[in-house]
């Protein structure tokens, strides 16, 4: 199993300078929706306007930088995990970049805000050029032991000789009749 982590940021233009309740949830759900084609993905807002989201909210500017983390987990063969991790990081990054650039991230946030009745986010916009990847990392967990080719070959030749023996025995019994 390979685990990857991306930390990224984009800026949200908001109609007011106050961050509404459920802001984090609306943004996290929107990021997950943008990455819905990837299984095993989680998203967490880390900071809003440079402030830890778990801290007290204060009055903000109308353009709010939002830093978030995306975690993804995928199963892989031991020999393919590094390649999968590199590919997964690139694919997640591309999907996020595209969703910000084409405006679909803003639409997702607006839809989620409406579903959560968060009026302060129903007209937000995500700055098209504001997305940036801050860091990425991968880690291999729970490696799966793969049978060595010699062992597979030995098992195959044992099965092959057993089958050949059974066929010879059957043929001999048919000839006897």
């Amino acid at each position: 199993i390979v685990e990857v982590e991306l930390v990224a940021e984009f800026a949200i233009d908001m109609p007011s300078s106050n961050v509404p309740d459920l802001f984090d949830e609306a943004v996290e759900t929107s990021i997950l929706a943008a990455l819905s084609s990837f299984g095993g993905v989680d998203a967490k807002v880390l900071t809003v306007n440079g402030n830890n989201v778990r801290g007290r909210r204060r009055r903000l500017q109308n353009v709010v930088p939002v830093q978030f983390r995306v975690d993804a987990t995928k199963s892989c063969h031991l020999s393919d995990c590094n390649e999968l991790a590199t590919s997964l990081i690139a694919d997640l990054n591309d999907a996020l970049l595209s969703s910000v650039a084409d405006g679909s991230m803003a639409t997702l946030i607006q839809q989620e805000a409406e579903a959560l009745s968060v009026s302060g986010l129903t007209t937000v916009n995500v700055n098209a050029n504001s997305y940036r990847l801050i860091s990425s990392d991968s880690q291999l967990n729970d490696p799966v032991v793969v049978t060595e080719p010699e062992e597979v070959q030995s098992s195959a030749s044992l099965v092959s000789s057993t089958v050949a023996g059974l066929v010879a025995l059957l043929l001999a019994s048919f000839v006897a009749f």
Side-chain angles (χ1 to χ4, degrees):
I1 296 175
V2 67
E3 294 179 4
V4 300
E5 176 184 284
L6 282 80
V7 176
E9 179 178 85
F10 54 68
I12 299 177
D13 293 324
M14 296 180 48
S16 77
S17 58
N18 292 323
V19 174
D21 291 337
L22 301 175
F23 174 85
D24 307 344
E25 184 178 338
V27 172
E28 289 167 357
T29 302
S30 300
I31 291 168
L32 289 174
L35 300 175
S36 63
S37 63
F38 300 90
V41 175
D42 189 29
K44 197 58 134 177
V45 172
L46 301 175
T47 65
V48 176
N49 204 29
N51 299 310
N52 186 324
V53 295
R54 306 302 173 235
R56 197 174 130 209
R57 302 270 164 104
R58 43 182 204 147
R59 200 154 170 82
L60 302 170
Q61 304 166 342
N62 284 29
V63 177
V64 180
V66 177
Q67 190 177 102
F68 57 93
R69 184 184 72 229
V70 174
D71 298 306
T73 304
K74 293 286 182 186
S75 295
C76 56
H77 293 304
L78 193 57
S79 61
D80 299 332
C81 287
N82 287 336
E83 184 178 325
L84 177 64
T86 301
S87 174
L88 185 57
I89 288 169
D91 291 347
L92 288 167
N93 188 51
D94 289 347
L96 288 166
L97 178 61
S98 293
S99 70
V100 170
D102 69 12
S104 60
M105 181 61 74
T107 302
L108 290 167
I109 292 172
Q110 292 166 4
Q111 291 170 345
E112 186 59 26
E114 190 172 314
L116 293 170
S117 300
V118 182
S119 61
L121 293 177
T122 56
T123 59
V124 299
N125 186 33
V126 178
N127 291 342
N129 297 319
S130 67
Y131 177 82
R132 71 184 180 104
L133 179 64
I134 296 170
S135 67
S136 64
D137 192 20
S138 65
Q139 177 177 332
L140 179 64
N141 290 324
D142 300 327
V144 177
V145 177
V146 178
T147 307
E148 293 299 319
E150 294 81 26
E151 293 173 15
V152 172
Q153 192 173 24
S154 299
S155 298
S157 59
L158 176 63
V159 169
S160 177
S161 63
T162 303
V163 169
L166 287 173
V167 169
L169 183 62
L170 285 172
L171 286 175
S173 59
F174 280 121
V175 172
F177 287 110

